[in-house]
Amino acid sequence: MTVRAVELPQLRMPYPLRVNPYLSALHEESEDWAREMGMLGGDNGRSARRAIWTRSTFHAMTVDQLTAWTLPDASLADLRLNHRFNVWALAWDDYFASAFKQTGDLPGALVFTDRLHAFLRPEYGARLPEPTNAVERGIADLQQRLFPPRLAHWRREFNRALARYIDAGVEELANSRSGRIPHLIDYAPFRRESFAAYTAPYSVELATGARIPEQIRHCRTVRALLDAFMDFMGLANDIASYEREVHEERDVNNLVLVVGTSLGISLRDAVPAALHLVNARLRDFEHLRQSELPLLVQRSGLHHDERAELETWLRGACGFLSGLHAWYTGAPRYASSDVSFQE
């Protein structure tokens, strides 16, 4: 039985979609960087390098829409930067799936991942290895661009998030090779890593120019809000990508399988149960944002400018979630799942 055979409840999305005004400019140059990095080949399959996508496959993913929908407030320069990161993350995902997940090559995946770690250097201007493939070329190029001076704290924190992302790929492969479906209790924290969700708060910062004030950044309420923010991203993606991941890639790291196995229920029951969990995490985010965060702000005595900066970041975070929702429901990358999400 597939997801399309199950009658689904609605996936909630209370935030309206906002589109960055520079989408058309991004669309015009969308493939330039990917081609420069060697990620694109011709539709005839001919390429001087081992490409990850054909041109038609790349454009079908509509990465430009993903970027413009999730970051509606970004300047053109920041939009371009985030677009390149999104392209790279999808390139890593598709390359890793074809080279290692589909072949079960765990030793090769470990070597590949160890090399990528050498590109994630926290110090500015660090000497990097010579890239040998499109994924390495992409991350080497991004390391020179991802850290504008006004976001100096990105250097260590963003690279740490990237390291968690690529390491999670190896753990996913190990699970698939052994047939081990993760347990529900462990899965949500792991999915934040395997979806690269830990990078999202920094993308919102880059797009809005705002950051959660340091005075409350590590408080329980803010940590819980960020966890709910990140959980929606990866868990909703599991619903949208179920057909491709489970039936095409034979992956076991998917919320639908996790819920079904952990609770001992059928797919027909696991799909709506998984969707209810995703909806619950969005409700958690809303409750924390609307009810608990204002009390924390009041107790903390944040200045007017700090409160305004927090509100700007939160508006950007809501836009990020809305943009992801729109991309999941509209991009051909997920069309095979035939899941009808409604606002």
Side-chain angles (χ1 to χ4, degrees):
M1 183 183 294
T2 63
V3 169
R4 64 171 57 91
V6 181
E7 184 177 351
L8 299 174
Q10 292 182 0
L11 180 66
R12 292 183 64 249
M13 180 43 60
Y15 317 123
L17 177 65
R18 297 187 294 124
V19 181
N20 192 289
Y22 297 111
L23 172 58
S24 59
L26 199 64
H27 180 73
E28 291 176 1
E29 60 189 45
S30 183
E31 71 178 69
D32 292 351
W33 184 76
R35 188 171 298 285
E36 181 184 348
M37 295 300 106
M39 298 170 182
L40 292 186
D43 284 330
N44 58 7
R46 297 176 184 174
S47 176
R49 300 168 172 172
R50 183 187 175 189
I52 298 171
W53 303 301
T54 64
R55 185 173 181 270
S56 58
T57 300
F58 173 75
H59 283 288
M61 293 191 299
T62 61
V63 190
D64 54 336
Q65 289 185 345
L66 166 66
T67 309
W69 289 350
T70 54
L71 303 173
D73 303 308
S75 67
L76 179 57
D78 291 340
L79 200 68
R80 285 179 176 138
L81 184 56
N82 271 277
H83 181 260
R84 291 179 180 186
F85 171 69
N86 287 337
V87 170
W88 179 84
L90 289 168
W92 174 89
D93 187 41
D94 286 353
Y95 181 91
F96 194 90
S98 64
F100 307 115
K101 284 186 176 180
Q102 292 177 10
T103 62
D105 183 8
L106 183 58
L110 288 168
V111 172
F112 173 71
T113 301
D114 284 344
R115 276 191 55 85
L116 280 183
H117 272 282
F119 290 88
L120 303 178
R121 300 288 296 275
E123 62 275 18
Y124 183 77
R127 186 168 183 175
L128 304 179
E130 186 67 26
T132 61
N133 56 59
V135 176
E136 291 182 355
R137 279 189 291 274
I139 195 60
D141 187 76
L142 284 172
Q143 288 296 299
Q144 309 305 316
R145 305 172 188 270
L146 272 175
F147 308 106
R150 74 177 189 275
L151 293 174
H153 63 277
W154 264 38
R155 183 160 304 282
R156 185 171 301 278
E157 296 174 21
F158 196 87
N159 270 340
R160 184 183 297 122
L162 287 180
R164 296 168 85 163
Y165 176 50
I166 62 177
D167 285 344
V170 174
E171 187 170 345
E172 285 188 330
L173 174 56
N175 288 341
S176 293
R177 274 181 40 126
S178 66
R180 176 189 174 273
I181 299 175
H183 193 278
L184 182 58
I185 292 176
D186 305 317
Y187 187 66
F190 173 64
R191 192 66 177 112
R192 296 172 206 153
E193 298 178 347
S194 66
F195 187 70
Y198 284 101
T199 66
Y202 303 111
S203 291
V204 174
E205 288 182 24
L206 183 64
T208 62
R211 193 180 194 216
I212 298 174
E214 194 64 30
Q215 185 175 344
I216 64 170
R217 189 174 183 83
H218 303 288
C219 294
R220 183 205 65 82
T221 298
V222 174
R223 292 200 308 269
L225 179 136
L226 288 173
D227 285 349
F229 172 66
M230 294 185 290
D231 284 348
F232 177 87
M233 300 175 203
L235 299 181
N237 178 271
D238 279 359
I239 307 297
S241 61
Y242 175 86
E243 298 291 340
R244 181 172 60 87
E245 290 181 353
V246 176
H247 290 284
E248 297 176 19
E249 299 177 3
R250 306 299 180 190
D251 200 343
V252 300
N253 304 278
N254 185 279
L255 181 64
V256 176
L257 289 183
V258 167
V259 167
T261 303
S262 298
L263 301 183
I265 58 180
S266 68
L267 174 64
R268 180 172 293 280
D269 294 326
V271 173
L275 272 166
H276 285 309
L277 282 175
V278 178
N279 285 338
R281 290 309 276 153
L282 188 61
R283 286 194 297 271
D284 290 339
F285 176 80
E286 272 292 275
H287 170 76
L288 289 160
R289 183 178 72 90
Q290 295 181 345
S291 300
E292 295 196 26
L293 195 58
L295 296 175
L296 174 64
V297 168
Q298 187 176 11
R299 291 196 306 268
S300 303
L302 294 182
H303 298 305
H304 178 269
D305 290 348
E306 292 173 316
R307 295 186 182 202
E309 185 170 14
L310 176 61
E311 284 301 317
T312 298
W313 187 92
L314 288 169
R315 184 171 186 267
C318 292
F320 196 97
L321 294 179
S322 176
L324 266 183
H325 173 275
W327 192 63
Y328 290 160
T329 61
R333 182 178 179 88
Y334 301 112
S336 62
S337 64
D338 197 28
V339 175
S340 178
F341 297 149
Q342 301 179 32
E343 296 185 21

